[in-house]
Amino acid sequence: MSDSITILTPDDNKPMIPISSKQEEDEDDDTSLLPNLTTHSCSSSSSHSHSKPTVIFISLILTTCIALSAAFAFAFAFLFFSASSDSTTQVSRSLKTLKTPVVLLISFDGFRFGYQFKTNAPNINRLIKNGTEAELGLIPVFPTLTFPNHYSIVTGLYPAYHGIINNFFTDPETGDFFTMANHEPKWWLGEPLWETVVNHGLKASTYFWPGSEVKKGSWNCAKDYCMLYNSTVPFEERVDTVLKYFDLPSDEIPSFMTLYFEDPDHQGHKVGPDDPQITEAVARVDKMLGRLIRGLEERAVFEDVNIILVGDHGMVGTCDKKLIFLDDLTNWIEIPKEWVQSYSPLLAIHPPSNYSPKEIVAKMNEGLKSGKVNNGEYLRVYLKEELPSRLHYSASDRIPPIIGLIEEGFKVEQKRSQRQECGGAHGYDNALFSMRTIFVAHGPQFARGRKIPSFENVEIYNLVTNILNIHGAPNNGTVLFPEGVLLPRR
Ligand SMILES: [Zn+2]
């Protein structure tokens, strides 16, 4: 959770559902400990007797307490001020051409934070310069994979609550297998933004987004407003189709639109994040953004549209020397491949019910820590309930009982092979900087040239419903987050 959320948000504004998530966040909330520590050290000093040295001691303690309190107050004021100085002097700009607010949510898949510095990206930079940017990037949810993250962005829920806990998984109750091509509503929990928007009588359109083809509530994935995924559709065509929505009569223009690009994820996997091919892919998606901006300008709506540009996760280089093989653990425990739901970077193991997950975890960790397993120190295995609570990755039956956390850039495979490959991967711990992506927002409700601290992508749902002035579904985002980021309404 970002600094700004911790500081700007009282506990009673934490998400109402699910309860477990709120508890987890409270436990993890490092900064919330600071005032408690201060209070504790200050109040304990008052129980001393009032002898002269004690008075001096108390004075010293009091002085220290006052100084500490002042320092905290200053730090708070500084952080609050730096996070909100623009919004105190600016209000949202009024619409010139459009009649009602429009949010256009764009995703550059696998756009690692920092890619924007790799090459000249005039259009991304234009949005940054005239909009609001998460200065050190957007924090994805765990696991840092495409489907779980895209669906967290549009539902405001962690994967354990929206149900898409991996790109592929088996439902332990039914034995049914989920793949990325599956559009049955039973898999896709929560309420995505397009559903919320149409439930409020507004229009929504999706030019690709995980979950968008699933018919839920009032959202029926209508032709012309809901594009069926086809990776071969040229990027230009996607941009031009979105632009055409702005040629419709004003009451038919979707209030919420998505636009998705597979790049630069594709190149990142192939060659890793530091290859010149990435630079080319970044330039290409930037060009698409330029095409979009030009089209919006021609229609005199560029300044009216709230553009939210995000990625789903980052990317890190992987290479053949950074491998861990499950078969190397056979002296401690045998892990047959049938137990393994996914290997890397999320190791997920579902043993048959007559095995004890706890014993398996203990034996695996014993082997990994023994010093006799190649790269064993770079994998730690957990019962899902014992994973760090900041990952929010236990409260779903769909999550297999045993989860392995793999160190940045390492990969787990079943057995040794001659295959040698170097490329890129994502899916690791969302606390890793390499997994961060971008957040840039531009439009009438975003301050110009403003930098905000990093935050988790589950906050975006509330941001969008706030801009559209509609009541969102309960989620894991922070209720006060939009207030800290958006310009106040004029
Ligand atoms: Zn990917």
Side-chain angles (χ1 to χ4, degrees):
M1 202 56 72
S2 80
D3 293 341
S4 72
I5 296 155
T6 311
I7 289 163
L8 295 174
T9 309
D11 277 351
D12 57 358
N13 284 303
K14 286 284 172 79
M16 284 174 291
I17 67 119
I19 303 297
S20 60
S21 159
K22 176 180 162 31
Q23 285 165 341
E24 285 166 6
E25 282 176 18
D26 289 345
E27 282 162 25
D28 283 359
D29 199 345
D30 290 343
T31 38
S32 70
L33 288 173
L34 295 175
N36 289 343
L37 284 172
T38 319
T39 315
H40 181 72
S41 62
C42 292
S43 59
S44 65
S45 67
S46 63
S47 63
H48 289 283
S49 67
H50 283 210
S51 65
K52 203 173 175 185
T54 314
V55 171
I56 294 166
F57 177 72
I58 289 171
S59 312
L60 278 170
I61 294 279
L62 275 174
T63 315
T64 313
C65 284
I66 290 164
L68 273 174
S69 308
F72 281 120
F74 177 77
F76 178 87
F78 175 77
L79 284 170
F80 185 88
F81 182 75
S82 60
S84 63
S85 57
D86 289 324
S87 56
T88 56
T89 52
Q90 287 183 37
V91 288
S92 65
R93 299 177 289 279
S94 48
L95 299 178
K96 299 271 187 320
T97 308
L98 293 174
K99 299 277 185 293
T100 52
V102 169
V103 174
L104 170 52
L105 179 64
I106 306 171
S107 167
F108 289 164
D109 199 316
F111 196 107
R112 172 175 165 164
F113 177 77
Y115 277 180
Q116 69 271 32
F117 306 122
K118 277 186 169 289
T119 185
N120 185 24
N123 300 296
I124 296 172
N125 284 323
R126 183 173 170 190
L127 289 194
I128 291 173
K129 187 163 168 270
N130 297 303
T132 296
E133 182 197 20
E135 193 169 19
L136 293 174
L138 178 66
I139 303 168
V141 295
F142 178 82
T144 52
L145 297 167
T146 297
F147 267 50
N149 272 278
H150 274 99
Y151 205 52
S152 283
I153 292 169
V154 294
T155 57
L157 296 168
Y158 292 110
Y161 306 106
H162 68 46
I164 308 301
I165 53 111
N166 200 334
N167 288 339
F168 305 90
F169 59 92
T170 303
D171 184 329
E173 269 180 38
T174 59
D176 292 351
F177 189 58
F178 173 84
T179 71
M180 291 185 277
N182 202 310
H183 306 310
E184 280 178 79
K186 66 172 183 180
W187 297 107
W188 304 81
L189 312 178
E191 188 181 295
L193 280 165
W194 44 81
E195 185 186 346
T196 306
V197 167
V198 295
N199 281 350
H200 283 79
L202 301 171
K203 287 203 154 46
S205 69
T206 51
Y207 211 118
F208 303 161
W209 202 278
S212 61
E213 292 168 55
V214 181
K215 294 172 183 169
K216 269 162 77 48
S218 322
W219 176 254
N220 59 2
C221 187
K223 193 177 169 286
D224 297 337
Y225 284 90
C226 170
M227 302 302 157
L228 307 184
Y229 185 64
N230 174 359
S231 62
T232 65
V233 177
F235 290 174
E236 288 83 356
E237 192 179 322
R238 306 180 193 191
V239 170
D240 296 350
T241 304
V242 165
L243 287 171
K244 281 191 192 119
Y245 290 128
F246 292 95
D247 298 331
L248 293 168
S250 61
D251 60 340
E252 282 178 39
I253 299 175
S255 300
F256 173 72
M257 311 179 189
T258 71
L259 176 58
Y260 169 83
F261 300 97
E262 289 85 352
D263 288 358
D265 184 68
H266 174 70
Q267 295 80 0
H269 282 291
K270 226 168 76 182
V271 294
D274 296 316
D275 191 275
Q277 278 192 38
I278 288 293
T279 312
E280 289 164 25
V282 169
R284 197 153 94 93
V285 286
D286 182 76
K287 229 172 112 190
M288 289 306 115
L289 183 62
R291 187 181 182 97
L292 177 80
I293 293 175
R294 228 174 16 257
L296 293 173
E297 282 182 325
E298 280 162 18
R299 290 161 176 84
V301 292
F302 175 54
E303 291 298 336
D304 280 5
V305 179
N306 291 286
I307 295 175
I308 300 179
L309 171 63
V310 296
D312 50 349
H313 52 69
M315 187 69 68
V316 69
T318 55
C319 233
D320 43 10
K321 286 193 181 66
K322 293 183 168 183
L323 289 173
I324 303 150
F325 302 101
L326 292 184
D327 282 358
D328 287 359
L329 287 168
T330 25
N331 286 345
W332 291 270
I333 182 157
E334 203 160 316
I335 308 287
K337 66 177 189 318
E338 293 74 30
W339 294 9
V340 184
Q341 287 213 356
S342 69
Y343 285 93
S344 267
L346 177 71
L347 176 64
I349 300 174
H350 199 137
S353 54
N354 54 331
Y355 284 82
S356 154
K358 198 172 174 181
E359 270 176 38
I360 295 169
V361 166
K363 284 183 180 163
M364 285 183 79
N365 282 333
E366 195 191 318
L368 292 166
K369 285 179 189 164
S370 68
K372 292 172 187 158
V373 171
N374 196 29
N375 290 326
E377 65 271 38
Y378 300 110
L379 168 65
R380 197 55 68 239
V381 185
Y382 295 84
L383 285 173
K384 65 176 175 182
E385 298 81 12
E386 291 170 4
L387 279 169
S389 57
R390 63 183 172 75
L391 299 174
H392 305 280
Y393 200 62
S394 63
S396 167
D397 289 344
R398 293 177 184 180
I399 300 171
I402 301 170
I403 299 294
L405 290 185
I406 305 169
E407 289 282 330
E408 186 176 31
F410 283 79
K411 282 167 97 174
V412 172
E413 290 182 4
Q414 185 71 38
K415 58 175 189 286
R416 288 173 188 277
S417 68
Q418 294 305 308
R419 195 158 52 98
Q420 293 201 326
E421 56 172 20
C422 285
H426 54 87
Y428 300 95
D429 191 333
N430 65 339
L432 294 169
F433 196 68
S434 58
M435 293 298 108
R436 282 198 196 177
T437 180
I438 46 164
F439 172 90
V440 186
H442 179 281
Q445 288 216 238
F446 292 98
R448 294 192 191 282
R450 182 169 170 214
K451 308 290 179 205
I452 56 173
S454 295
F455 59 90
E456 283 187 314
N457 65 20
V458 291
E459 304 291 354
I460 292 172
Y461 179 92
N462 288 341
L463 207 57
V464 174
T465 54
N466 202 288
I467 295 171
L468 298 179
N469 223 346
I470 57 177
H471 193 77
N475 63 80
N476 297 125
T478 322
V479 173
L480 282 188
F481 180 80
E483 216 171 281
V485 171
L486 296 175
L487 291 172
R489 286 198 168 79
R490 55 170 61 244

